[in-house]
Amino acid sequence: MAKKIELIATATFGLESVVAHEVKKLGYDVMVENGRITFFGDEMAICRTNLWLRSADRVLVKMGEFKATSFEELFQQTKALPWPDWLPENANFPVEGKSIKSQLHSVPDCQAIVKKAIVEKMKQTYKKDWFEETGPRYTIEVALLKDVATITIDTSGAGLHKRGYRKLSAQAPLKETLAAGLLSIARWYPDRTLLDPFCGSGTIPIEAALIGHNIAPGIGRNFAAEEWPILPKEIWQAARKEALESEIRDAKLRIYGTDIDDEVLSLARYHAKQANVEDSIHFQRVPVANVRSKQKYGFIITNPPYGQRLGELAEVRKLTEELGKTYPTLENWSCFVISAFDQFEHYFGKKADKKRKLYNGRVECNYYQYLGPRPPRPKL
């Protein structure tokens, strides 16, 4: 296998620059496009990016990219790719697909053709006509955009937002990858106080604690590529050892999560325990109108209820007004709120310094950013 593997870290809309920064931090040069960050690395890169990327959705091996306006072109160019370098004889390789603004718009047909092309290539190498597919899973995707086909293999398995700590889920949860992205965009650093006044089941505070202790977000889970014979077990062991050794367990963090629902707060505590950060977060039952802090500088980063359903709008207006009144009591603080409520600024009582469009699942949101002053540098 070539030492230089072309990889893609996929990102949800609006988080591409965050994911690009994370990949760069791991030491790889990146090319940023809509929804994906392309980079080159060795086998270890597959392990490290899966373990460490906080805001990416998945890590894919890019097998090839080519123009395809006919099924014959799609078949021949897929067949020409080095499948046996990656797929063992017993590989289980389902093919998924999507097509946007392309002549080959029938996704099931594209999937069937890619599958057939791979089987034909495998027949040539393994000298057999039938493949049982009882072995490790290699999920292949054919993605067509404006007649260009990108063929990939998914190394992650379950999406990277599935860290393994959120065993029980509250209503309308925020994805862990998005929560990490919100912290990154806000430029929150572990030496600053963090408060989430609508913490729900605790995703933002937990992601902050993982960052604060430099815990790899994927350390508590497995990945599809761990079963691949091409990636020796020793590489995964080395990547995990490196991750565990870089944890900063003695970091002193000031992370607070408040909510008015005892049930979700007990969920939050349970999830923090699962993530091994329960000692670093203080969860408390406090209505947003009563939130106060003695800390002179800090960050509010939060995902309040949106009021998507009829009858909830009045409640959302009220909560937004209360947050708008609480924020000025936290002198010198910054405030970052992701919300799909289009009248947020009006009810909050202040226009945001910056806004960024993001998606929470399929819901279009704005990330409202109110920037407080930086704390003074400590005197030497």
Side-chain angles (χ1 to χ4, degrees):
M1 180 169 93
K3 274 290 167 223
K4 284 288 170 211
I5 307 159
E6 192 168 3
L7 297 165
I8 296 171
T10 62
T12 189
F13 174 87
L15 290 184
E16 292 92 346
S17 61
V18 171
V19 174
H21 177 69
E22 291 177 8
V23 175
K24 274 191 216 160
K25 226 166 92 178
L26 290 170
Y28 307 107
D29 294 328
V30 301
M31 191 175 85
V32 184
E33 298 168 88
N34 271 349
R36 63 186 196 181
I37 288 78
T38 305
F39 59 102
F40 286 88
D42 55 9
E43 293 117 312
M44 184 56 130
I46 294 174
C47 311
R48 293 181 74 222
T49 49
N50 271 298
L51 283 167
W52 279 105
L53 293 181
R54 295 183 190 278
S55 302
D57 292 332
R58 302 177 170 278
V59 178
L60 313 173
V61 173
K62 183 174 168 184
M63 291 297 289
E65 190 168 276
F66 48 80
K67 198 167 169 54
T69 53
S70 71
F71 288 138
E72 182 61 19
E73 277 183 312
L74 181 62
F75 178 84
Q76 293 299 346
Q77 293 190 86
T78 300
K79 190 182 169 193
L81 299 173
W83 295 106
D85 288 359
W86 288 91
L87 306 187
E89 200 174 320
N90 66 345
N92 170 17
F93 55 106
V95 178
E96 295 175 353
K98 60 186 176 193
S99 177
I100 300 163
K101 296 179 183 166
S102 297
Q103 289 179 54
L104 300 179
H105 52 78
S106 167
V107 173
D109 286 339
C110 293
Q111 288 169 257
I113 280 155
V114 166
K115 180 85 178 183
K116 188 176 176 213
I118 298 168
V119 168
E120 289 306 312
K121 181 68 169 233
M122 302 269 281
K123 279 180 182 177
Q124 289 176 352
T125 302
Y126 294 114
K127 309 287 187 247
K128 59 191 284 192
D129 289 332
W130 178 256
F131 297 92
E132 287 188 356
E133 298 198 37
T134 53
R137 189 179 177 90
Y138 297 75
T139 302
I140 290 158
E141 184 185 67
V142 49
L144 284 142
L145 175 63
K146 296 178 183 168
D147 296 325
V148 174
T150 305
I151 314 264
T152 57
I153 313 175
D154 174 23
T155 72
S156 301
L160 293 181
H161 69 282
K162 296 202 169 166
R163 319 284 208 218
Y165 67 73
R166 201 160 71 185
K167 308 274 198 262
L168 311 167
S169 202
Q171 201 182 359
L174 184 73
K175 269 192 178 172
E176 295 84 337
T177 42
L178 179 55
L182 299 181
L183 289 156
S184 185
I185 294 164
R187 297 182 183 272
W188 172 79
Y189 293 105
D191 61 345
R192 304 285 292 275
T193 302
L194 174 71
L195 164 69
D196 179 355
F198 300 101
C199 73
S201 58
T203 310
I204 292 173
I206 291 168
E207 288 297 318
L210 293 176
I211 292 167
H213 289 296
N214 202 37
I215 297 171
I219 199 71
R221 57 160 285 180
N222 294 318
F223 305 96
E226 285 189 72
E227 302 303 317
W228 297 359
I230 200 165
L231 296 174
K233 292 269 184 275
E234 298 78 48
I235 292 183
W236 284 100
Q237 285 161 1
R240 286 181 181 277
K241 184 169 182 280
E242 174 191 76
L244 289 167
E245 285 172 356
S246 61
E247 289 181 7
I248 307 165
R249 275 282 155 204
D250 58 354
K252 295 283 177 273
L253 306 175
R254 294 187 303 274
I255 300 174
Y256 303 89
T258 61
D259 208 290
I260 53 161
D261 185 337
D262 283 324
E263 206 173 306
V264 297
L265 286 168
S266 72
L267 266 185
R269 291 185 187 102
Y270 174 76
H271 290 150
K273 196 171 184 342
Q274 294 298 313
N276 208 11
V277 292
E278 73 270 30
D279 295 338
S280 300
I281 309 169
H282 181 68
F283 289 110
Q284 196 178 351
R285 186 175 186 275
V286 184
V288 67
N290 297 353
V291 165
R292 297 292 180 269
S293 173
K294 293 190 180 99
Q295 301 293 333
K296 201 162 163 43
Y297 295 88
F299 282 67
I300 288 175
I301 301 180
T302 194
N303 169 44
Y306 299 165
Q308 294 267 288
R309 290 192 288 273
L310 213 62
E312 293 178 338
L313 205 54
E315 178 69 3
V316 170
R317 285 176 185 146
K318 179 172 160 279
L319 291 173
T320 306
E321 280 178 346
E322 286 174 354
L323 181 61
K325 285 173 185 162
T326 291
Y327 176 46
T329 70
L330 300 165
E331 198 188 343
N332 299 323
W333 280 48
S334 296
C335 182
F336 295 80
V337 184
I338 185 169
S339 179
F341 178 38
D342 56 3
Q343 294 175 290
F344 177 85
E345 287 167 302
H346 172 75
Y347 285 94
F348 187 79
K350 194 177 179 196
K351 214 164 163 36
D353 297 315
K354 283 166 127 181
K355 274 197 300 196
R356 184 162 175 159
K357 195 181 4 169
L358 295 171
Y359 282 85
N360 184 4
R362 287 168 185 254
V363 181
E364 188 182 313
C365 298
N366 275 306
Y367 193 29
Y368 297 97
Q369 304 170 49
Y370 298 89
L371 310 174
R374 290 176 177 231
R377 287 178 179 272
K379 292 190 173 84
L380 296 172

